[in-house]
Structure formats: C-alpha cells, structure tokens
Amino acid sequence: MDEILRQSLFFGGVLTLGAYSLGYWMKRKWKLAIFNPLLVGIVVVVVLLLAFRVDYDTYNEGAKYISYFLTPATVCLALPLYQQFEALRRNYIAILAGILVGAVTSGACVLGLSALFHFSHREYVTLLPKSITTAIGMGISEELGGFVTITVAVIVITGVLGNILAEHVCKWFHIRDAVARGIAIGSSSHAAGTAKALEMGEVEGAMSGLSIAVSGIITVFLANIFAKFY
C-alpha cells in the first residue's frame, strides 16, 4: 500500500482535508466539543496510516502543500483586529498586561510541573513553548536544545484543548468581557484557540489573533530566562 500511495502526489492532502471535513460534519451534527474537527482529523489520519501501514513521509509528500496556506491564513487574522482597532486603542495597557501575564503563567506552570515530575532539562525546555504558534515554538525548542517533534505535538494538543475548553472555562470563571476572553484564549492556545474565539465573537477573535503574535514575541525572550531556572 505504501508503494502504491507513494506514486500519488495529493494522497496526503486529500486524506487530511477529508478527515477534517468528517470532523466538521460531526461537530455540526452532534454539537459536542469533543468532536473538534482538528482533533477528529488527527485521530482519523493516524488510525488510517497505522491501519494501512503507510509511512509518514509518504503521507507528508502530499499533505505538506496544505501548510502553504498557513501563512496567508494567519495574516488574515489582521482583518478582525483592524475592525476592532478602537477596542485595542482603549484597552492597550490591559491587553499587553494580560498577554504578558499569560506568557509568564505558561512558563511558570511548565517549570512547576517539570520539577514535580522530575523532568530532565531537555524535556523541560521542550514544553516551554507549548502555548505559542508552531513556527515560533519550533525555533525556541531547537535553540534551547529540546525535542522539536515533541514540541510540535504538545503545541497541537494545547491548541486542541484550548479550542474544546475555552468557552467552558470562561463560563466557569465568569469571564464575560470580550477583550479579556480573547486575550486569555489567544495567549494560552494560539491559532486553534483563536478559531474558537472567532466563533464566540468578533472582539474575542480580534484580541485572540493579536495575542498570538505578541505572546510569541514575549515567549521568545521569557523562554530563554525560564530555561535557566531548571
């Protein structure tokens, strides 16, 4: 099977889009957070590759083209931010403070859990960029000597959990302000969380999109500081 599919240029892309579409259909039909399209897509792709013994490189040969759309999709997040510029102007101090606190809290949690579970230094720095976008997180992990592939997996898991739990956490802790909800989601669960923030409202989506960029920049500096603590 692997040899047959190796000849198919778009096998990985078709499989990825099909798996995501299945998750999207399940989410709309049953309205359950657990049927997150990204989560369902990951599970379906992994199960099929294992079941048919398809090598990851064979799959990625076609799936890699989808990643070309990541940059323009991220840039598009600037549109809702532009539309909510007035809210940004009025609350810029609180917004920057919230993003900074979010980045510090993320690093402190990783530090505490690493000490609790006796992780090695390499495992510790692997987890430090868990709450920022993949492109920046991979660079931080590589620079600090972490396991880059594990960093990618952790970032994806963090984003999926943020997408699933974001709205519920805001309800549990009575976070009603749209700006606060957007900042909290974006600074903790990057792009996947921002997808949920956009569903919650325009202001939430704009603030979450802003948090992705600012949180990534702050984490670049904080990660190097936190790396010296353990």
Side-chain angles (χ1 to χ4, degrees), residues 198-221:
L198 287 168
E199 294 178 12
M200 295 168 66
E202 292 183 2
V203 176
E204 287 91 335
M207 295 301 109
S208 186
L210 173 65
S211 298
I212 294 176
V214 179
S215 181
I217 295 171
I218 292 175
T219 302
V220 169
F221 295 99

Side-chain angles (χ1 to χ4, degrees), residues 37-68:
L38 182 58
L39 177 60
V40 172
I42 292 172
V43 172
V44 170
V45 169
V46 170
V47 169
L48 289 178
L49 292 184
L50 291 174
F52 292 98
R53 299 183 179 181
V54 178
D55 186 73
Y56 172 77
D57 291 334
T58 301
Y59 160 76
N60 192 49
E61 192 62 33
K64 64 182 180 182
Y65 298 107
I66 295 179
S67 64
Y68 295 161

Side-chain angles (χ1 to χ4, degrees), residues 84-103:
Q84 301 298 326
F85 183 77
E86 185 60 28
L88 171 61
R89 188 186 65 80
R90 291 197 309 267
N91 302 283
Y92 73 94
I93 295 179
I95 289 171
L96 292 176
I99 297 174
L100 177 60
V101 170

Side-chain angles (χ1 to χ4, degrees), residues 47-213:
V47 169
L48 289 178
L49 292 184
L50 291 174
F52 292 98
R53 299 183 179 181
V54 178
D55 186 73
Y56 172 77
D57 291 334
T58 301
Y59 160 76
N60 192 49
E61 192 62 33
K64 64 182 180 182
Y65 298 107
I66 295 179
S67 64
Y68 295 161
F69 296 98
L70 179 61
T71 299
T74 303
V75 172
C76 286
L77 293 174
L79 179 58
L81 180 60
Y82 172 75
Q83 294 172 334
Q84 301 298 326
F85 183 77
E86 185 60 28
L88 171 61
R89 188 186 65 80
R90 291 197 309 267
N91 302 283
Y92 73 94
I93 295 179
I95 289 171
L96 292 176
I99 297 174
L100 177 60
V101 170
V104 172
T105 301
S106 176
C109 288
V110 173
L111 175 61
L113 291 173
S114 296
L116 178 64
F117 292 103
H118 306 289
F119 286 168
S120 67
H121 175 77
R122 191 176 186 187
E123 292 167 339
Y124 165 61
V125 297
T126 296
L127 301 178
L128 276 178
K130 67 178 182 62
S131 294
I132 60 175
T133 187
T134 307
I136 302 176
M138 290 173 63
I140 293 175
S141 179
E142 184 176 9
E143 179 183 346
L144 297 178
F147 299 99
V148 178
T149 52
I150 297 179
T151 298
V152 173
V154 171
I155 290 174
V156 171
I157 292 171
T158 301
V160 171
L161 289 176
N163 187 290
I164 294 173
L165 299 175
E167 195 167 9
H168 301 293
V169 170
C170 288
K171 289 181 180 178
W172 295 336
F173 291 93
H174 305 288
I175 305 174
R176 300 184 179 89
D177 183 81
V179 173
R181 296 203 296 180
I183 294 300
I185 295 171
S187 59
S188 61
S189 51
H190 50 85
T194 299
K196 170 56 69 174
L198 287 168
E199 294 178 12
M200 295 168 66
E202 292 183 2
V203 176
E204 287 91 335
M207 295 301 109
S208 186
L210 173 65
S211 298
I212 294 176

